[in-house]
Amino acid sequence: MSREIAAVTPTAPIGLKRAVGTPLLFAFIVGDTLGAGIYTLVGTMANDVGGVIWLPLLLALVVALLTAGTYAELITKYPHAGGAARYVDRAFGIPYLSFLVGFLMMASGITTAAALANAFAGDYLTALIDVPPIPTAIVFIAVLTLINLRGVRESLAANLVASVIEVTGLVIVIVVCAIVFGSGGGDPSRIFEFAPDVPPLQGAFAASIIAFFSFLGFEAAANMAEEVKNPSKAYPRALFGAIFTAAVVYLLIAIGAVIVLPPAELAESTGPLLEVVAASGVGIPSWLFGLIALVAIANGALLFMVMASRVGYGLAEAGLLPHAFARVLPNRRTPWVSIVVVAGITICLTIVGDIATLAETTVLLLLLVFLSANVSVLVLKKDKVDHSHFNVPRFVPVLGILACIVLLAQQSWTVWIGAAVYVAVGSVLYFVARYGRKRSERKQAA
């Protein structure tokens, strides 16, 4: 492993304590995967496929399972923190390529936070108070930045409480939809009606990109690899179990939402699940469910901003980003420069982007990361380790590569331009950091 990437993904010489069993790991992955995306993107999918929202969710599930198979082998074969950047470095040993994978992960966190900031300032907040969206989104990001600056312990404590509230909101949606269906209300035939103005196949692939956004989060489990008991058995069980659990929840919500409310009405709202709960007539106050959804969205945005800022700090510590990104507050010991830069870019993206475009950009960035992981697992098949591990058949990462390419091909030129800007900016920062590091080494030598 190269010196640079080893610094990005450090491991303690004596190893971390393996204290996490399969149930806890399952809960962690479920909590990461059952995110705020489903609260905001049901309407966007309805715009592409009408009432057949379950179809893009199934397509996204297939892609998620293929990539999860790849991660299951890589994580159990190399049970160390670091994720895709570590695997790419082990497979190819090219520092710039490893940096690029890590930087794309950082960029995906920033873009996701921007999408969720826009969602926060939408219809869910309007159920409580009518305020202008852009200033609200900026204030929202500023508040999350202050929490991030305060410390990771405070951020994760807030995440624990918010995750419980977030899942409660999804359960409420499923229950109210079941009540409507059980009482003979709604229109079940809508779940087979495609959008009238979009070719079914085109709409299904377009919506599957958005649907895939809702399954993101399982890849974060790679960073717990050193703390899991018997990872060779625990990881595959927890990983696949969590993805299937998320899929069942999402499918129930998608089918129930379309039964209760026409797809056209879902497509018009930035808070589609709020519209479903209100239309059910069950009697849950709009302000209460709006508050639950806001907590879920804020929770997701905070986690992604924390992740992005820490990746930036780690890359700077490794000398792969300018050293300024590694500066920390004297007392709080939080990477304040990285946090502030992440916040500034998030605010800019919130102003110029809409929820759907930002979500699609996130998916594109992570598809590139997943593509690198799928290629890496094939390269590393010949690499033998001295412990048992999950072994995925070769056809799984091959299908994963093809699936990633198909989804990448569905992306619009606007989204590709956004990704290209990220790569260009990251490359400039990488070479600036490299120049600064070499200059410092020359001075020390002199």
Side-chain angles (χ1 to χ4, degrees):
M1 176 177 293
S2 68
R3 181 184 63 81
E4 287 108 332
I5 200 66
V8 176
T9 56
T11 55
I14 60 173
L16 300 176
K17 182 179 179 180
R18 296 193 179 275
V20 179
T22 303
L24 280 178
L25 182 61
F26 170 80
F28 174 83
I29 301 174
V30 167
D32 265 8
T33 306
L34 280 178
I38 198 67
Y39 277 93
T40 60
L41 298 175
V42 168
T44 304
M45 287 188 282
N47 190 55
D48 289 323
V49 292
V52 197
I53 302 177
W54 51 269
L55 179 57
L57 283 169
L58 288 177
L59 292 174
L61 172 63
V62 171
V63 179
L65 287 173
L66 291 172
T67 303
T70 289
Y71 270 87
E73 173 164 338
L74 290 171
I75 293 171
T76 57
K77 193 173 184 179
Y78 310 107
H80 307 285
R86 174 182 283 270
Y87 309 139
V88 169
D89 185 76
R90 192 174 190 106
F92 302 103
I94 303 174
Y96 172 71
L97 188 59
S98 304
F99 159 79
L100 198 57
V101 172
F103 188 78
L104 289 177
M105 285 293 298
M106 178 181 176
S108 72
I110 294 172
T111 310
T112 302
L116 295 178
N118 277 341
F120 184 91
D123 289 345
Y124 287 121
L125 185 61
T126 305
L128 301 176
I129 183 174
D130 189 10
V131 289
I134 291 180
T136 301
I138 293 173
V139 171
F140 170 70
I141 294 168
V143 171
L144 296 186
T145 300
L146 292 176
I147 297 173
N148 198 357
L149 287 168
R150 176 74 180 171
V152 70
R153 185 173 64 180
E154 289 79 359
S155 300
L156 294 180
N159 165 249
L160 180 62
V161 177
S163 294
V164 175
I165 297 172
E166 181 177 319
V167 174
T168 301
L170 298 179
V171 172
I172 288 174
V173 175
I174 294 172
V175 170
V176 299
C177 290
I179 291 173
V180 172
F181 180 71
S183 62
D187 184 359
S189 68
R190 286 197 289 253
I191 66 175
F192 300 108
E193 296 176 357
F194 282 92
D197 302 325
V198 182
L201 190 59
Q202 177 185 330
F205 277 115
S208 65
I209 297 171
I210 297 296
F212 192 59
F213 182 87
S214 299
F215 283 99
L216 300 178
F218 66 84
E219 71 283 352
N223 293 307
M224 293 187 65
E226 294 179 51
E227 299 169 85
V228 174
K229 301 175 185 176
N230 195 3
S232 296
K233 291 184 178 180
Y235 255 104
R237 294 172 182 173
L239 195 58
F240 292 117
I243 291 175
F244 276 116
T245 300
V248 170
V249 172
Y250 290 161
L251 288 170
L252 288 174
I253 288 176
I255 293 171
V258 172
I259 289 175
V260 173
L261 209 61
E265 294 185 33
L266 289 172
E268 292 174 356
S269 176
T270 57
L273 298 189
L274 176 65
E275 304 296 335
V276 171
V277 172
S280 70
V282 173
I284 296 175
S286 294
W287 66 265
L288 177 60
F289 188 80
L291 185 60
I292 292 173
L294 290 175
V295 170
I297 293 168
N299 180 43
L302 175 61
L303 284 180
F304 280 105
M305 290 180 71
V306 170
M307 180 273 286
S309 62
R310 268 52 179 188
V311 171
Y313 170 79
L315 291 172
E317 279 285 280
L320 302 177
L321 278 179
H323 185 66
F325 282 80
R327 292 178 182 170
V328 298
L329 290 174
N331 296 323
R332 305 307 307 178
R333 306 302 298 170
T334 50
W336 71 270
V337 172
S338 185
I339 290 172
V340 170
V341 169
V342 165
I345 299 173
T346 303
I347 288 173
C348 292
L349 291 177
T350 299
I351 295 171
V352 301
D354 59 84
I355 297 172
T357 302
L358 292 170
E360 289 173 11
T361 304
T362 296
V363 171
L364 187 148
L365 295 170
L366 287 180
L367 282 173
L368 294 173
V369 173
F370 294 161
L371 187 63
S372 71
N374 282 313
V375 173
S376 296
V377 77
L378 290 173
V379 173
L380 293 170
K381 281 286 186 182
K382 63 181 182 297
D383 189 23
K384 305 300 180 184
V385 295
D386 58 0
H387 63 270
S388 62
H389 60 84
F390 184 82
N391 203 337
V392 67
R394 287 181 181 271
F395 74 86
V396 172
V398 170
L399 290 176
I401 291 170
L402 293 175
C404 288
I405 292 173
V406 169
L407 288 184
L408 286 170
Q410 308 303 314
Q411 297 279 15
S412 66
W413 64 270
T414 305
V415 175
W416 275 105
I417 288 175
V421 171
Y422 269 129
V423 172
V425 170
S427 298
V428 169
L429 291 174
Y430 171 80
F431 288 109
V432 167
R434 185 179 179 183
Y435 172 77
R437 188 170 68 249
K438 288 185 176 181
R439 184 179 179 183
S440 177
E441 289 172 353
R442 285 197 297 268
K443 286 184 177 180
Q444 290 178 0

